[in-house]
Every structure is written in C-alpha cells, then in structure tokens.
Amino acid sequence: MKKFIKNCVLFFLLLLIVGEFVVRFTHAVSDIPRRTIDDTGIQKYFTNQTGYWKGGDHKWKINELGWPGDLPSSFDKLITIIGDSYIENFMNPNECHQGPLLKKRMSEYNFMEAGRSGVSFIEAMEISKHLDTLQPVQTLIYVNDNDFYESITEIKKMRDITQLNLEKDQIIYGEMKSPGLKKVLYNWKLLYYFYNRYPINFSNENKENEIKETELDKTLKFKNEILELFKFIKNNYETYNKTLIFHPKTNDYFIKLAKEHGFNTIVLDSSKDNKSWTFDYDSHWTCYGHEQVANQVTIGLNEYFKGKGQ
C-alpha cells in the first residue's frame, strides 16, 4: 500500500512538472509583471521586466521608470500619455501602443506612456503631477465613464484603486490586492492556468443586483459627487496643459465639466467606422482600433497646438 501511495505521489509530481513545462512553453497564460507602490503612493511596476502575452505572439516590456513600453530617446517637446489598461495595452505589441503610433504622426514631439490597469481619473491626475517634473508640453489622459465613478469613495469604495474621499477632501491611495496570492499564481504557471480556466467567484449571488445597478442613470444619481471631483482637481492640479481623451460614447456631462474646469478635450468617435475597434472577446482596442484612436488624437492635438500658436 505504501508503495502504491508513493508511486501515485511521484506520478502526480511528474504530471505537475510536465504540465508546468507545457504551460510555460506554449505561453498558455500571460506573464504578468510584478507591481510595487512607490514613495508617492502610485502603483507601478518593478523596473526592467519583460514577459510574453498569452499565446507568445509578442512580449511586453517595463522600462526604467516602471511603466510599460520604451522611454523616448529625448524628453524635449515631451507629451506624456496616461491611462488604464487601454494604455498599458499588454494585449498588443509595442508598435500598436499610442506612444509609437503618435510618434509616427507627430515626429517633432516625443511621447512617454504611463499606463496601468485600474488607474482611476484621480490617480491619473496624481501620476500627471509627478510626471510634470519632466516638463511635458502636454499631457494626454485617456478616460471613460467608469474612471470618474471609480475615483470617488462615496460612490463605491475600492481598496485597490486610488480614490478621493469627498467628505474628508483627501486622496486615499490604493493598496495592492492579495500580493502574496498573486505572486504564487504568477510564478506557478500551471496553477495560474487553472485559476483562469476555473475562477473562484464568491460574489455570484450578488451579480444580478450589480448588473441592475449599472443600468441606472448614474449621471443623475451622482451628479453632485462628480462636480465636487472636478472642483477638487481644479484646486489641486494644473489642468491648462492637460488633454482628456474621452472614449467613444462617453457621457456628455463629463465632457462639459472637463471644459469648464480648464481641460482641453478630444472626444473619440467610432460610429462612422465600418470595422470594430475592439477584440471579439474583449472590450480593449485592437491594433486597428489604436490606429484609429491615434489618427483622431493627432487631428485634435494639431488643432490645439495651432490655436496656441505652437
């Protein structure tokens, strides 16, 4: 009996080793870069990491400042690009990122990206405050509706996302979610593969209620909170050199408030395109989508700079 158990254990261990090798060799799961929180409370990545996206068709890279992509060769005439997973953009090769695409269209400028999944609007402003030390001529912040709602604790408190507490008039910096578990999952690829295939969700019982909540008219419900968010930003950050790039179908109320509080704005429009900007299985932009976004941003920026006499 002991020999049988021993053989079963050895066979199981052999299966684990073979399975781990197969998952790594075929890139059945994406490599995920390790995060850290810097002295200013900003979540970014440990520097100089590389890894493969799922399928192994392309690699991502974390640069010397802890952000995805390559740093520009020069910081002269710099334009910084800030956003969430749309700008982090691990699902596309580097040539399909906004920085390289805009550089092709506006070669006289240099572009630097600071993107990370989960960046709220208020955290984007925090990031911009620190990147302002590089003296960019303009900062582009890519936003959608959720980035504004997720910025306010009174709407929904989220521990892993940087938010503004309106009552205390205070920034609450995000915490890394389950860092120990994530470290195990990202290093044990086979376990991560099964975790992705069969995720454990303890909140299914509330899923129906959450879906109904998202269908409410949030603009009317949280109109005052959003207004207070913009007032806080106007009082605590520079907005004159910031351009908000609004995703297609963004609520007009956010665009109106942005203009009233000193931001330049560019509103993306995908309605006239006969080809989808997004993946079939995902709402993020494909290479084609990023190309179309870069085209519209280039037009908007050129008009802005022309109006400023630059």
Side-chain angles (χ1 to χ4, degrees):
M1 187 66 179
K2 289 183 178 180
K3 185 177 181 180
F4 174 76
I5 294 175
K6 181 180 179 181
N7 288 337
C8 287
V9 171
L10 291 174
F11 180 70
F12 179 69
L13 291 175
L14 179 62
L15 285 178
L16 288 179
I17 294 171
V18 172
E20 182 75 8
F21 174 79
V22 170
V23 170
R24 287 177 179 269
F25 182 76
T26 62
H27 303 290
V29 294
S30 302
D31 296 325
I32 306 297
R34 294 180 298 120
R35 290 188 188 184
T36 184
I37 298 179
D38 67 14
D39 295 337
T40 65
I42 300 296
Q43 287 190 50
K44 54 173 64 173
Y45 296 107
F46 285 105
T47 60
N48 300 316
Q49 299 180 69
T50 60
Y52 283 96
W53 185 247
K54 185 177 180 180
D57 292 332
H58 66 271
K59 296 180 73 173
W60 49 257
K61 173 186 177 182
I62 305 300
N63 60 43
E64 293 88 341
L65 294 183
W67 299 112
D70 293 313
L71 291 176
S73 57
S74 169
F75 289 132
D76 292 336
K77 299 190 73 174
L78 180 67
I79 296 178
T80 52
I81 299 171
I82 302 172
D84 57 13
S85 54
Y86 284 80
I87 298 304
E88 179 187 67
N89 196 15
F90 287 144
M91 63 286 300
N92 288 310
N94 192 61
E95 59 265 25
C96 294
H97 286 220
Q98 286 297 293
L101 290 172
L102 290 171
K103 179 65 175 177
K104 286 183 180 179
R105 292 157 174 79
M106 304 177 70
S107 58
E108 68 272 29
Y109 294 96
N110 292 297
F111 295 85
M112 176 191 157
E113 299 179 14
R116 199 205 72 242
S117 299
V119 168
S120 62
F121 178 47
I122 192 66
E123 185 173 10
M125 294 305 300
E126 280 287 291
I127 294 171
S128 76
K129 181 171 66 176
H130 298 291
L131 292 184
D132 279 348
T133 58
L134 299 175
Q135 298 182 321
V137 297
Q138 189 69 192
T139 293
L140 311 180
I141 302 176
Y142 290 63
V143 288
N144 58 46
D145 288 358
N146 284 334
D147 295 329
F148 298 98
Y149 297 127
E150 291 175 353
S151 293
I152 303 171
T153 59
E154 282 81 358
I155 293 179
K156 185 178 180 181
K157 191 171 183 180
M158 306 173 76
R159 286 183 58 189
D160 57 328
I161 291 180
T162 295
Q163 296 182 298
L164 171 64
N165 185 302
L166 294 173
E167 183 179 348
K168 297 180 180 179
D169 204 36
Q170 178 184 356
I171 299 290
I172 309 297
Y173 293 99
E175 304 172 3
M176 286 193 289
K177 200 173 183 180
S178 306
L181 175 61
K182 286 183 176 179
K183 187 174 182 179
V184 172
L185 285 174
Y186 297 163
N187 286 282
W188 188 356
K189 301 294 185 183
L190 183 61
L191 181 62
Y192 188 40
Y193 172 78
F194 284 115
Y195 176 80
N196 281 337
R197 287 292 300 271
Y198 311 105
I200 300 173
N201 189 349
F202 297 105
S203 59
N204 282 339
E205 58 189 70
N206 298 321
K207 189 174 182 180
E208 185 177 347
N209 292 332
E210 289 178 1
I211 292 173
K212 288 181 180 178
E213 176 68 16
T214 60
E215 293 171 354
L216 296 174
D217 187 349
K218 286 186 175 181
T219 306
L220 291 176
K221 187 176 181 180
F222 300 116
K223 189 172 184 178
N224 290 333
E225 286 86 350
I226 298 298
L227 177 59
E228 291 303 314
L229 169 66
F230 272 93
K231 287 181 179 178
F232 178 89
I233 285 171
K234 180 65 176 177
N235 292 333
N236 291 276
Y237 305 91
E238 293 181 344
T239 61
Y240 72 93
N241 60 349
K242 307 289 189 298
T243 296
L244 298 190
I245 314 293
F246 290 97
H247 284 219
K249 300 180 181 179
T250 296
N251 194 301
D252 289 339
Y253 181 60
F254 300 135
I255 301 169
K256 173 178 175 291
L257 287 180
K259 292 178 179 178
E260 290 176 352
H261 289 81
F263 289 99
N264 179 46
T265 62
I266 297 174
V267 183
L268 301 174
D269 182 7
S270 61
S271 63
K272 298 177 182 178
D273 205 323
N274 58 9
K275 184 177 178 180
S276 175
W277 288 10
T278 63
F279 293 98
D280 293 336
Y281 55 87
D282 191 282
S283 63
H284 289 94
W285 298 324
T286 61
C287 281
Y288 175 82
H290 274 279
E291 289 270 4
Q292 307 317 304
V293 170
N295 288 340
Q296 294 187 22
V297 171
T298 299
I299 293 171
L301 277 181
N302 282 332
E303 291 177 352
Y304 173 79
F305 287 139
K306 185 177 179 180
K308 294 292 184 179
Q310 298 182 21

